[in-house]
Amino acid sequence: MTRTYTPKAGQVQRDWIVIDATDVVLGRLASHAAAILRGKHKPTFAPHVDTGDFVIIVNAEKVALTGQKLQKKMAYRHSGYPGGLTATSYAELLEKHPVRAVEKAVRGMLPKNTLGRQQLSKLKVYAGAEHPHAAQQPTPYTLDQVAQ
């Protein structure tokens, strides 16, 4: 009789992956990053264990949005107080805080529980091309997509 393999949290081998977001559609970037953070690309994937890798996203300020989403799509925040809903267009969000736009997109594609928050902590997003994780020797990850 064969048993189902269950990975242990201490036995997970974590790699570092760097993704260049230049001219990549935000949703495609976020879905690939979320799958890597969850560990769905590994044969040892289990939905209840964090088996994912660390993801570094560089050039977040050069990410693309299709159609008229740049002007019409809104990013919402709530302060927690009554009437505290704040709406910001993605044009303004990408201009002022491009890191938040990418983090928000990836966060929406992860589980909404403690495991999802643990996986999100392995995401590192930088607006420019430089990142301080050279010592981890990250491997580049290319997204195959149709040019804009």
Side-chain angles (χ1 to χ4, degrees):
M1 182 165 73
T2 59
R3 298 279 183 183
T4 302
Y5 172 74
T6 301
K8 309 294 185 289
Q11 298 172 344
V12 176
Q13 176 67 33
R14 300 199 196 285
D15 298 325
W16 287 74
I17 296 171
V18 62
I19 301 175
D20 188 6
T22 305
D23 295 330
V24 177
V25 177
L26 180 61
R28 290 181 190 272
L29 173 71
S31 62
H32 281 273
I36 294 169
L37 288 169
R38 290 197 68 195
K40 296 189 95 173
H41 63 293
K42 294 184 176 182
T44 58
F45 170 72
H48 65 288
V49 180
D50 183 11
T51 59
D53 294 334
F54 286 87
V55 176
I56 305 164
I57 298 177
V58 294
N59 292 321
E61 60 194 4
K62 298 178 184 173
V63 75
L65 278 97
T66 58
Q68 296 192 346
K69 293 190 191 93
L70 202 58
Q71 291 81 25
K72 292 188 176 182
K73 186 173 173 68
M74 303 297 276
Y76 296 98
R77 293 181 297 131
H78 199 284
S79 65
Y81 290 96
L85 186 66
T86 306
T88 309
S89 70
Y90 264 78
E92 184 180 343
L93 187 64
L94 284 173
E95 181 182 326
K96 291 185 178 178
H97 308 287
V99 172
R100 284 188 201 167
V102 175
E103 285 176 348
K104 183 176 175 63
V106 175
R107 183 186 305 126
M109 297 186 184
L110 289 175
K112 279 67 173 177
N113 53 24
T114 54
L115 183 64
R117 288 188 288 277
Q118 180 184 351
Q119 291 165 346
L120 187 66
S121 69
K122 296 185 312 220
L123 176 68
K124 316 294 182 193
V125 183
Y126 299 99
E130 300 297 321
H131 64 83
H133 305 288
Q136 282 75 27
Q137 299 164 347
T139 58
Y141 183 82
T142 57
L143 295 173
D144 299 328
Q145 70 168 7
V146 178
Q148 291 296 313

